[in-house]
Amino acid sequence: MKQWNKNKYPYMFIAPAVILLTLFSIIPIIIALVISFTNMDLVGLADYSNISSAGFDNYINIFKDPIFLKSMYNTLIYVVIGVPLVVLASMGVALLLNYGTSWLFKSFRVIYYMPSITNIVAVAVVWGYLYNGSYGLFNYILSIFGLPAQEWLQDPTLAKLSLILLAFWKSIGLNMIIFLAALQGIPRSYYEAAEIDGATGWKKLRFITVPLLGFATFFVTITTLIGWIQFFEEPLVMTKGGPLNATMSMALFIYNNGFQLSKFGYAAAGSFVLFIIIIVVTLIQFAVKKKEVEY
């Protein structure tokens, strides 16, 4: 009995987290999975008797949907361009800010971090003026150099790149803080030993700093990758997925079908396709990291 009393305390500590996870994550996921095999819509939501089984039709139809296929392609572009940029820029900014301790460097830490905590609606208003085709700041800068004005959010290719730039600017701050914490955890003795051996600043960066940032880089890459696969807020508030679905992401496609068109079963099927993609990509990342650690 005493042994049981002693062993129950860990379960008591984790119980609140497990209960919340079950109520707000696991159960909704199971419900969404069930809904994805039905034709549920607003009528079915009002009266469950109107819901009927759709089998795998939602999953079959979603891969025949040109808008969904376009959203998958757009999301791939966002990930391929955005993730490396964010990881490299965050690490670079953290390395630069880590070298200084004066008030100026501390101020820049705040400046770089502020976009991460700024409301996306406020950000969208400001960046909307920057991208404005008639009187935006970016086109004004182009005019100074004699370059023609651009339709930043109306041209399909430029619209993608414009959203990537916005999301890139907004994502650096939080990842920079993670890299800064990892940098400050590297023992100074490693650098002192390297200096005794005659290592230059570049060699210390290459052979000490970057390798010891491995786990921080892995964490930032995983979280950034998941975030960009779920790319949603920027296209929602800036372009609504346009022009011609050129900025439509998978998450925005799911939102439009679920909350704009009330096709809950169809949207749930799309959400599980997105869920599976995230799981697969994450498992691949862990497998690659495990091989690196073994070697």
Side-chain angles (χ1 to χ4, degrees):
M1 188 64 179
K2 289 183 178 180
Q3 185 67 25
W4 160 247
N5 289 335
K6 185 184 294 186
N7 292 338
K8 72 180 180 180
Y9 293 113
Y11 297 101
M12 292 173 61
F13 280 110
I14 67 172
V18 171
I19 292 171
L20 290 174
L21 180 67
T22 302
L23 289 176
F24 297 105
S25 292
I26 297 176
I27 293 177
I29 288 173
I30 295 172
I31 294 173
L33 179 61
V34 173
I35 292 173
S36 70
F37 292 101
T38 69
N39 65 347
M40 184 174 180
D41 54 15
L42 270 180
V43 177
L45 186 63
D47 184 359
Y48 293 159
S49 64
N50 293 312
I51 300 174
S52 61
S53 174
F56 287 93
D57 287 350
N58 286 332
Y59 290 93
I60 295 171
N61 292 332
I62 204 168
F63 282 104
K64 295 180 180 179
D65 191 330
I67 299 178
F68 181 74
L69 296 177
K70 180 71 173 178
S71 73
M72 291 184 71
Y73 170 76
N74 293 338
T75 301
L76 177 63
I77 297 297
Y78 293 142
V79 169
V80 170
I81 298 177
V83 174
L85 280 177
V86 170
V87 174
L88 292 175
S90 301
M91 182 186 294
V93 171
L95 287 169
L96 291 173
L97 295 181
N98 189 57
Y99 284 115
T101 57
S102 67
W103 66 269
L104 182 62
F105 286 89
K106 293 179 180 178
S107 299
F108 270 103
R109 293 181 187 183
V110 176
I111 291 171
Y112 276 108
Y113 184 67
M114 283 183 66
S116 299
I117 58 175
T118 304
N119 183 274
I120 184 63
V121 176
V123 169
V125 171
V126 175
W127 280 78
Y129 283 114
L130 295 178
Y131 284 136
N132 188 279
S134 301
Y135 49 83
L137 177 63
F138 291 155
N139 278 341
Y140 174 75
I141 294 173
L142 290 178
S143 67
I144 293 175
F145 294 96
L147 298 174
Q150 302 295 322
E151 295 294 335
W152 298 99
L153 299 178
Q154 283 72 44
D155 180 84
T157 302
L158 277 178
K160 281 193 191 70
L161 297 177
S162 299
L163 293 187
I164 289 172
L165 178 61
L166 167 58
F168 165 75
W169 169 81
K170 200 171 186 304
S171 302
I172 288 179
L174 180 59
N175 295 319
M176 175 204 69
I177 295 296
I178 295 171
F179 277 122
L180 274 174
L183 284 168
Q184 293 173 4
I186 299 176
R188 178 63 189 166
S189 58
Y190 291 175
Y191 296 106
E192 293 172 350
E195 289 169 1
I196 293 173
D197 290 336
T200 61
W202 168 250
K203 288 186 176 179
K204 286 188 288 185
L205 175 65
R206 180 181 175 185
F207 295 106
I208 298 176
T209 305
V210 173
L212 291 177
L213 287 177
F215 283 102
T217 304
F218 172 68
F219 176 78
V220 168
T221 303
I222 285 286
T223 55
T224 304
L225 186 61
I226 293 173
W228 281 76
I229 292 175
Q230 296 175 316
F231 198 61
F232 172 69
E233 293 177 332
E234 288 79 4
L236 174 67
V237 299
M238 295 292 291
T239 63
K240 302 293 188 296
L244 302 174
N245 297 313
T247 59
M248 179 70 68
S249 66
M250 293 179 68
L252 183 56
F253 173 87
I254 294 165
Y255 170 83
N256 286 343
N257 279 274
F259 295 98
Q260 301 294 327
L261 304 177
S262 301
K263 297 160 64 175
F264 300 121
Y266 196 64
S271 69
F272 265 88
V273 173
L274 180 61
F275 177 74
I276 291 170
I277 290 173
I278 292 173
I279 293 295
V280 170
V281 170
T282 304
L283 290 176
I284 291 173
Q285 289 278 343
F286 274 100
V288 171
K289 184 62 179 178
K290 184 178 180 181
K291 287 185 178 180
E292 290 179 357
V293 171
E294 288 175 352
Y295 287 113

